[in-house]
Amino acid sequence: MAGFFDFKVTRKLIFIFAALSILLVGISIASLLYLNHTINRMSDSLYEDVFENAELILSADRDLYQAAIALHSSMSSTLTEAERDQFIQEYKDNNQQAEERVSLASSDIKSINNPYSGIKQANRILTELENKLYAFETSLDLWKSTGNTLIAERMQIGWDPASYQAVNLNMQLNEVRTHLDQSEDLIDTYALQVTDGFQDKKSALFALYSLVFFILLLVIIYLGRKIIWLKNEMLEEQTLYQLIGETMSDFIILTDPNGLILYSSPSHSSILGYVPKKGAPLSNYIREPEIAWAKLKSVVQGTPRISELRMRGAEGQWVWLETKVSPVRGSNNFPAQFMLVSREITQRKQYEERLHKLAFYDHLTAIPNRAHFKMYMENLINQPEERRKNIALALLDCDRFKQLNDTLGHLAGDEFLQLLSRELLQTVKGVGQAFRIGGDEFAVVLHRFTSPEMLDEMLKRLLKLFNKSWSIDNGSSFHTSASIGVALFPEHGSSINELLRAADLAMYLSKDHGGNEANLYYELLDVGLTNQTIGKP
C-alpha cells in the first residue's frame, strides 16, 4: 500500500509540475503573441502612417520638379508648336499628379487612429503635419496660377521671349517644395517618437515576463527535485516488475480503448521473433484485424473472456494464441485499458486441423467425403425459406472403373481417382461442391443455378469431363464415361436420404441405358416406367 500511496503522490506532483509548465508556456506564448501583435501594429503604423505617406510626398516633390522643368522648356523660342504643346501637357500632368499624391497623403494622415495615444509628442506632430500639408496646397495653387498665366502669354501670337522671367516662378516653387521637405521631416520625427514609445512598453513587458518566469522556474526546480527523489525510491520496485515481465512465459499486451498498444511483454520475441511495438495498433498484428479487434472490444461491458486469435510472426507465419481479454476499469465503470494474457496453442490448432481433415476429407483424393457431404446438405436444406436456393443433387458413377482396376491394378485406379477428383473440383467451382462418397461414386451438390437450362448445361459439363481418355500408370490410356442421376430439392425429397434414394434410382437408369448419360428422377421410376432424359453430349 505504501508503494501505491507513493505512486499516487508522484502522479499528483507530476500533474502539478505539468500544470505549472503549461502555465509557464502559456504565459510565454501570450507574451510573445502580445509582442508580435505590438510589432505588427508598429510595422503597420510605420508603413501606413510613415513610409507610405513619406513615399507619396517624395514622389510629389519629384513631380513638381519635373513640372518646373517642363514649364521652363516650354518657354523656349526655338520650339515647334508640337514640342511646346507637349511640354505644356507634361507640366499640367505632373502638377496634377503631385496634387493627387499630397491629397492622398493628407487624407491618410487625417484618418490615422493613433495606436500610441499615450505619446503626446506624436499627436502634436500629426497636427503640425496636417498644417504643413494644408500650407503646401495653398502655395501649390499660387505656383500653378503663375505657371498657367505664363503659358497663356506664351500661347499668344507675337509673344516676346525676353518677357519671361524665371526668378519669381522659382521662388514660388521653392516655397512649395519647402513645405514638402518640412512634411518629410515631421514624418521622420513621428516615426522616431512611435519607435521610442514602443521600446519603452516592450522593456516593461519583458521585465514583468522575466519576473514571472523566474518565480515559476524556482517552483519547477523544487518539484523536479521532489519527483526525482520519489522516482529513485520507486526504481527498485519498477526493476522488479520489469524482471517479472521479461522472465514470464505468458505473453501480455496492454492496450488503450482504441486498440493502441501501451505495453507488450518481451516474452513475445520467443514465439513471434519480435516484440509488438508500443503505440502501434493491435490490429497490425492480428489476422483479420477488424473482426478480431471488434471481438476483443466486446468485453467492454462484460467480464473477462477467452478468445482464440492469430498473430503474425517475424517471418510471416501465423501463431495461434489462446488469449484471455480483461478490461482494466477506469472511472465511471468504463474500461480505461484492455489486458491480453496469451499462451501459444499452435500445435493444438494444427492437431485439430488434422483431425478435421481426417473426419471430413477423403484420404485418397483430398476432396470432401461423405460426412462432409451430409453436413453440407443439412446446412443448405435447413436455410430459412427466404434465403433457400435451388438445390440439385447429382450422383456420378464412373463407367468401366472395375475394368481399370482389373487390367491396370488398384494403384492405377487410385491414380485415376485422384486426377478425376482434381478436375471435378475445378469443373463445379463456383456452381456447387463435389464429394467422394465411396469407391468410384461421387456426389455433386449444385445450388447456384436459376433455370432448368442452366442446370442442364452444368450436367453436360460433368458428362464431358468424364467422357475422355485418361493417361495413367506411366502412359497407359483409359477411356471412361459417367452415369449421372439427379434429384431436386424439395420436389424429389425433403431429406438427405430421400434425395439420395431418388438420385440413385436416376443414376441406375443411366447405367441401364449404357452409361454416359444424365437422368432426372421421375416418380414413375419406382414402378419401372419411362423416365425423362435431360441431357446427352
Side-chain angles (χ1 to χ4, degrees):
M1 290 298 295
F4 181 70
F5 176 75
D6 289 342
F7 178 72
K8 291 181 65 176
V9 171
T10 304
R11 287 185 61 182
K12 289 182 180 179
L13 289 175
I14 292 175
F15 177 77
I16 296 174
F17 177 84
L20 288 175
S21 300
I22 293 173
L23 178 61
L24 175 61
V25 173
I27 293 175
S28 302
I29 293 175
S31 301
L32 292 176
L33 288 176
Y34 177 78
L35 287 176
N36 183 62
H37 178 66
T38 305
I39 291 171
N40 288 339
R41 291 180 64 189
M42 175 63 185
S43 177
D44 294 341
S45 176
L46 287 177
Y47 179 75
E48 295 175 1
D49 303 349
V50 180
F51 299 120
E52 187 179 34
N53 295 322
E55 182 64 28
L56 288 172
I57 291 174
L58 285 173
S59 298
D61 186 53
R62 288 193 293 268
D63 291 337
L64 287 176
Y65 178 73
Q66 294 296 327
I69 292 175
L71 180 60
H72 286 301
S73 299
S74 68
M75 296 299 159
S76 174
S77 59
T78 61
L79 296 175
T80 64
E81 184 176 348
E83 292 174 337
R84 179 198 65 193
D85 292 342
Q86 181 179 355
F87 282 122
I88 291 173
Q89 186 62 42
E90 288 180 5
Y91 161 77
K92 293 180 179 180
D93 291 342
N94 282 311
N95 276 333
Q96 182 179 358
Q97 191 167 358
E99 187 174 11
E100 289 176 354
R101 294 183 193 275
V102 174
S103 177
L104 180 59
S106 177
S107 176
D108 290 343
I109 291 171
K110 289 178 181 179
S111 62
I112 289 176
N113 294 321
N114 185 19
Y116 304 101
S117 56
I119 306 175
K120 295 182 179 179
Q121 285 288 83
N123 291 330
R124 182 188 62 77
I125 292 172
L126 287 177
T127 301
E128 188 174 350
L129 180 59
E130 291 179 10
N131 294 334
K132 287 296 179 182
L133 293 177
Y134 178 76
F136 162 80
E137 293 176 357
T138 303
S139 59
L140 178 64
D141 290 340
L142 181 60
W143 145 259
K144 288 169 56 180
S145 176
T146 302
N148 291 335
T149 301
L150 287 174
I151 290 173
E153 293 175 355
R154 175 68 176 85
M155 299 290 289
Q156 293 179 0
I157 299 175
W159 174 73
D160 183 10
S163 64
Y164 170 64
Q165 299 293 330
V167 176
N168 185 38
L169 187 65
N170 289 337
M171 290 178 62
Q172 292 179 357
L173 178 62
N174 288 335
E175 181 180 357
V176 174
R177 298 183 67 186
T178 297
H179 290 310
L180 289 180
D181 292 339
Q182 291 174 348
S183 297
E184 293 176 25
D185 293 339
L186 288 173
I187 288 177
D188 292 339
T189 303
Y190 172 77
L192 182 61
Q193 291 290 335
V194 171
T195 303
D196 290 342
F198 167 74
Q199 292 293 340
D200 292 342
K201 290 188 176 183
K202 186 172 69 173
S203 298
L205 181 63
F206 268 114
L208 176 62
Y209 171 73
S210 300
L211 177 62
V212 174
F213 180 83
F214 179 73
I215 293 173
L216 289 176
L217 186 61
L218 291 177
V219 174
I220 290 173
I221 291 173
Y222 168 77
L223 289 176
R225 289 170 60 94
K226 185 69 174 177
I227 291 173
I228 292 173
W229 177 74
L230 289 173
K231 184 177 180 180
N232 291 334
E233 198 174 64
M234 297 172 62
L235 183 60
E236 184 177 351
E237 184 177 356
Q238 292 176 350
T239 304
L240 179 60
Y241 291 153
Q242 184 177 1
L243 180 62
I244 294 173
E246 291 176 352
T247 57
M248 67 188 309
S249 59
D250 287 340
F251 316 107
I252 297 178
I253 290 180
L254 191 67
T255 76
D256 67 6
N258 297 318
L260 298 180
I261 296 176
L262 303 176
Y263 168 80
S264 54
S265 63
S267 53
H268 284 87
S269 60
S270 63
I271 58 166
L272 299 179
Y274 65 91
V275 177
K277 185 178 179 181
K278 180 180 179 180
L282 179 62
S283 57
N284 286 357
Y285 305 100
I286 299 177
R287 187 170 186 177
E288 300 175 350
E290 297 83 3
I291 299 175
W293 180 238
K295 183 178 180 181
L296 295 180
K297 288 185 68 175
S298 66
V299 302
V300 171
Q301 299 296 338
T303 57
R305 65 183 62 181
I306 295 177
S307 300
E308 292 183 355
L309 54 89
R310 280 179 284 184
M311 295 188 70
R312 187 187 297 274
E315 299 179 358
Q317 79 280 15
W318 291 103
V319 179
W320 275 101
L321 298 174
E322 184 178 73
T323 302
K324 181 180 180 181
V325 186
S326 304
V328 180
R329 297 294 175 184
S331 60
N332 298 326
N333 203 34
F334 281 95
Q337 298 166 343
F338 290 97
M339 178 176 290
L340 289 75
V341 181
S342 308
R343 63 184 181 91
E344 186 184 5
I345 57 170
T346 302
Q347 290 185 352
R348 190 187 83 186
K349 296 298 291 187
Q350 291 173 347
Y351 180 69
E352 290 176 354
E353 185 177 354
R354 286 196 296 270
L355 290 179
H356 178 77
K357 286 184 177 180
L358 289 174
F360 294 101
Y361 288 84
D362 181 61
H363 71 281
L364 175 63
T365 61
I367 70 171
N369 60 13
R370 179 181 288 272
H372 199 160
F373 163 74
K374 290 183 177 180
M375 183 176 63
Y376 193 87
M377 284 294 293
E378 287 176 356
N379 183 55
L380 289 177
I381 292 175
N382 294 326
Q383 287 285 333
E385 187 173 351
E386 65 273 8
R387 295 174 54 188
R388 189 174 296 167
K389 304 176 182 178
N390 295 326
I391 303 173
L393 171 60
L395 292 182
L396 299 83
D397 189 82
C398 180
D399 300 329
R400 295 180 296 281
F401 179 72
K402 185 176 183 302
Q403 179 183 351
L404 171 63
N405 280 333
D406 293 341
T407 56
L408 297 179
H410 289 282
L411 291 179
D414 291 346
E415 182 182 352
F416 165 72
L417 290 175
Q418 291 170 347
L419 292 173
L420 176 63
S421 297
R422 284 196 293 268
E423 294 200 19
L424 183 59
L425 284 178
Q426 291 299 319
T427 301
V428 302
K429 186 176 182 180
V431 296
Q433 179 64 52
F435 305 86
R436 184 187 179 200
I437 60 176
D440 61 335
E441 189 173 359
F442 295 84
V444 174
V445 180
L446 303 171
H447 56 89
R448 292 176 182 168
F449 62 94
T450 56
S451 65
E453 292 76 16
M454 187 174 178
L455 175 60
D456 185 63
E457 179 61 29
M458 293 177 186
L459 296 174
K460 287 180 179 179
R461 286 165 54 187
L462 292 174
L463 288 171
K464 185 177 180 181
L465 168 66
F466 278 80
N467 188 19
K468 66 178 182 180
S469 295
W470 301 81
S471 178
I472 55 176
D473 193 25
N474 296 324
S476 299
S477 179
F478 172 69
H479 187 85
T480 186
S481 59
S483 297
I484 302 177
V486 183
L488 303 179
F489 173 84
E491 292 91 331
H492 304 146
S494 59
S495 68
I496 298 176
N497 289 335
E498 290 175 353
L499 291 172
L500 281 172
R501 179 181 177 279
D504 196 52
L505 287 173
M507 181 185 71
Y508 276 104
L509 177 63
S510 298
K511 279 188 171 294
D512 288 342
H513 289 177
N516 193 27
E517 184 175 283
N519 281 284
L520 182 67
Y521 170 78
Y522 198 64
E523 291 182 359
L524 295 180
L525 284 176
D526 288 336
V527 293
L529 296 180
T530 305
N531 54 48
Q532 178 184 8
T533 299
I534 66 169
K536 289 184 180 181

